[in-house]
Amino acid sequence: MAVTTTARLRYVSIPPRKMRVVAQLVQGMPIQKALDALNFMPRVAAHHVAKTLKSAAANALSLEGTAHLKPEDLMVKSIYVDDAPMAKRIRFQSMGRVFRYRKRYCHLTVILAERPHPKPALAAGDKTKAVAKAGEGVAGAKAEKTSSAKPAKKKVAAKAKTPAKKTVKKTAKK
């Protein structure tokens, strides 16, 4: 059963461009590796991403319960960083002028999913049993295919050579 849960952090006072740098680093990682990487990252945005990851993991565990889902099975499926409304501010300058600047905000959305479990590989002895159970017709067809002569080599059509273009010299009139 695939579990997907989300957590959002809204109106963060960090520009979206700076937040996306951190968010792209942890996308697709298992949640424990992502938190370890964020704890040692010197950016301010790493703290906000880590906080939202922990919240999303807690959401997943509360929805499914710890009996059905283990925290180490969760991975970061995707992270979105969207623009939030900008705050416009002014700074007074000399000679009565005013400079305007924009304080940028962002929204952070984290989506976690359960890590797909790899199917156990069949041992060499198990493969032969599976083929034998599949039926005699399939095994016989495989035996015929392997015992037949080598397949004929395909003929490669040679490219037709195009003749070189002849240039005509112009005689200069004097």
Side-chain angles (χ1 to χ4, degrees):
M1 182 170 159
V3 177
T4 58
T5 57
T6 61
R8 290 189 178 147
L9 185 63
R10 303 183 73 206
Y11 298 102
V12 185
S13 63
I14 296 175
R17 188 185 65 185
K18 292 181 181 180
M19 184 74 86
R20 282 187 192 112
V21 170
V22 175
Q24 287 175 353
L25 289 174
V26 296
Q27 188 163 357
M29 286 180 145
I31 192 159
Q32 192 57 48
K33 273 189 173 181
L35 287 172
D36 289 343
L38 291 170
N39 284 337
F40 293 104
M41 201 172 292
R43 293 180 173 261
V44 175
H47 169 73
H48 294 291
V49 174
K51 188 167 82 168
T52 312
L53 273 176
K54 289 176 188 175
S55 174
N59 291 344
L61 291 174
S62 69
L63 287 175
E64 282 297 311
T66 54
H68 301 299
L69 183 66
K70 296 177 184 173
E72 56 268 8
D73 290 341
L74 291 173
M75 66 175 284
V76 180
K77 184 177 179 183
S78 60
I79 294 183
Y80 300 109
V81 179
D82 299 319
D83 293 342
M86 251 181 271
K88 280 125 178 150
R89 300 286 184 255
I90 59 171
R91 171 174 273 157
F92 296 105
Q93 299 294 319
S94 61
M95 297 194 300
R97 288 177 294 173
V98 173
F99 285 178
R100 287 172 180 82
Y101 63 94
R102 296 172 290 185
K103 293 184 71 149
R104 297 179 189 269
Y105 291 87
C106 68
H107 300 312
L108 176 67
T109 305
V110 176
I111 300 173
L112 296 183
E114 191 173 2
R115 193 177 343 169
H117 295 290
K119 294 181 181 177
L122 295 175
D126 294 340
K127 287 182 182 177
T128 56
K129 290 178 187 176
V131 171
K133 287 181 183 178
E136 197 63 37
V138 175
K142 285 186 177 180
E144 287 177 17
K145 189 181 254 185
T146 57
S147 65
S148 65
K150 292 181 181 178
K153 292 184 179 178
K154 293 181 181 178
K155 293 182 181 178
V156 180
K159 281 188 173 179
K161 292 184 179 178
T162 57
K165 292 183 179 179
K166 295 181 181 178
T167 57
V168 179
K169 290 184 180 178
K170 292 183 180 178
T171 56
K173 294 182 182 177
K174 290 187 178 179

